[in-house]
């Protein structure tokens, strides 16, 4: 029975392994099979699996602290509805789901969630903070049809957030925005083009998609075979 228990642990831990992403100003646990690339002043993190890469994204950006950079300002800003162009150019307002101050690793962040704030069909969760001379924004976005699929990975990443801000802006820091810019500037422009197309995109279901479900069923089948074999050998040993 001990061996079967080990099989259960191995199987259910295969998809839960995460790796640490770290640049010169922030670090967090990146979901398994995700990768981050630097694009100008943003870091774009996406899954290595094409279907997931089209439906979820993590974007990091930072800037020098300016006059509008404070937790109070971020709280007020994230409580405002945004609008993006809809059909015919008519603006579509976002939907506010909540804003709160969250302490993560002994540091305060403003945590906000909106639907349609960057792309109309995407939920975006905003984590913003300042530390010393650096202001940091990390956003977690996923299509509304599959947001719950990624919510657990996003939550783990958020709980692992750490700011690695230096006392002064130096040459060793990754590219950041100047203090005159706003940290709350729209990040939708950083979304890759294949995420902007909604029609014709085949979305996996909320539990991980058809392929993910097949893998889980296959793995569960292996475990059931192992259990059956264990009891078969046990009964045979008793008869001997």
């Amino acid at each position: 029975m001990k061996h079967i228990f080990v099989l259960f642990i191995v199987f259910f831990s295969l998809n839960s392994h995460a790796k640490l992403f770290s640049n010169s100003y922030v670090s967090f646990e990146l979901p398994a099979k995700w990768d981050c690339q630097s694009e100008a002043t943003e870091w774009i993190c996406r899954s290595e699996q094409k279907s997931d890469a089209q439906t979820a994204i993590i974007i990091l950006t930072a800037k020098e602290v300016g006059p509008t950079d404070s937790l109070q300002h971020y709280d007020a800003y994230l409580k405002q509805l945004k609008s993006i162009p809809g059909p015919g150019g008519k603006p579509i307002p976002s939907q506010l789901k909540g804003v709160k101050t969250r302490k993560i690793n002994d540091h305060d962040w403003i945590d906000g969630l909106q639907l349609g704030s960057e792309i109309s069909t995407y939920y975006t969760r905003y984590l913003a903070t300042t530390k010393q001379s650096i202001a940091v924004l990390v956003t977690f976005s996923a299509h509304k049809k599959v947001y719950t699929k990624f919510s657990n990975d996003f939550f783990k990443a958020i709980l692992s957030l750490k700011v690695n801000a230096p006392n002064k802006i130096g040459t060793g820091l990754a590219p950041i925005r100047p203090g005159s810019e706003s940290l709350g500037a729209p990040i939708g422009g950083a979304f890759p083009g294949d995420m902007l197309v909604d029609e014709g995109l085949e979305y996996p279901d909320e539990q991980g998609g058809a392929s993910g479900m097949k893998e889980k069923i296959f793995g569960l089948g292996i475990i059931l075979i192992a259990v059956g074999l264990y009891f078969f050998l046990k009964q045979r040993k008793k008869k001997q």
Side-chain angles (χ1 to χ4, degrees):
M1 187 61 70
K2 181 179 179 181
H3 297 293
I4 296 172
F5 178 75
V6 171
L7 284 173
F8 270 97
I9 295 297
V10 170
F11 172 69
F12 286 105
S13 65
L14 286 176
N15 294 326
S16 62
H17 179 67
K19 57 184 177 181
L20 182 68
F21 167 83
S22 180
N23 63 17
S24 55
Y25 55 79
V26 72
S27 66
F28 67 97
E29 275 192 16
L30 191 65
K33 297 183 180 180
W34 279 54
D35 187 41
C36 299
Q37 300 293 330
S38 177
E39 301 284 346
T41 57
E42 281 79 38
W43 283 82
I44 310 299
C45 304
R46 304 177 75 187
S47 173
E48 297 171 0
Q49 300 178 15
K50 184 178 179 180
S51 60
D52 288 347
Q54 289 180 302
T55 55
I57 191 171
I58 301 172
I59 299 177
L60 303 84
T61 189
K63 64 181 290 290
E64 298 180 49
V65 168
T68 61
D69 292 300
S70 67
L71 296 186
Q72 293 78 9
H73 176 82
Y74 298 156
D75 181 83
Y77 178 81
L78 290 178
K79 286 177 179 176
Q80 298 174 10
L81 297 183
K82 298 185 180 185
S83 63
I84 57 176
K90 184 179 180 180
I92 302 176
S94 63
Q95 299 177 35
L96 177 63
K97 300 301 180 179
V99 178
K100 63 187 292 185
T101 300
R102 179 183 295 277
K103 188 174 289 292
I104 305 172
N105 295 312
D106 296 321
H107 190 78
D108 287 334
W109 295 72
I110 301 301
D111 181 0
L113 178 66
Q114 292 200 24
L115 172 63
S117 54
E118 305 296 337
I119 298 180
S120 61
T121 53
Y122 279 69
Y123 281 103
T124 296
R125 189 166 177 179
Y126 302 84
L127 275 295
T129 193
T130 63
K131 186 174 182 180
Q132 298 164 356
S133 55
I134 295 290
V136 178
L137 174 66
V138 187
T139 62
F140 301 81
S141 301
H143 194 280
K144 62 183 181 181
K145 291 184 179 180
V146 292
Y147 186 79
T148 57
K149 172 186 174 181
F150 298 99
S151 59
N152 188 48
D153 283 336
F154 285 176
F155 186 64
K156 290 179 181 177
I158 289 168
L159 290 183
S160 65
L161 278 170
K162 291 184 180 179
V163 183
N164 308 318
N167 292 321
K168 295 181 180 180
I169 304 297
T171 56
L173 195 66
I176 63 173
R177 297 181 181 184
S180 57
E181 292 190 15
S182 171
L183 188 67
I187 53 112
F191 278 60
D194 62 355
M195 300 189 72
L196 301 178
V197 179
D198 194 36
E199 294 80 8
L201 192 62
E202 294 183 2
Y203 298 103
D205 61 36
E206 296 277 343
Q207 300 302 318
S211 61
M213 185 59 67
K214 287 179 181 177
E215 291 177 1
K216 290 181 180 179
I217 292 174
F218 178 74
L220 186 58
I222 292 176
I223 292 174
L224 291 175
I225 291 172
V227 172
L229 182 60
Y230 170 81
F231 284 109
F232 172 76
L233 293 174
K234 188 175 181 180
Q235 289 295 113
R236 186 176 179 180
K237 188 175 180 181
K238 284 183 178 179
K239 291 179 180 180
Q240 291 176 349

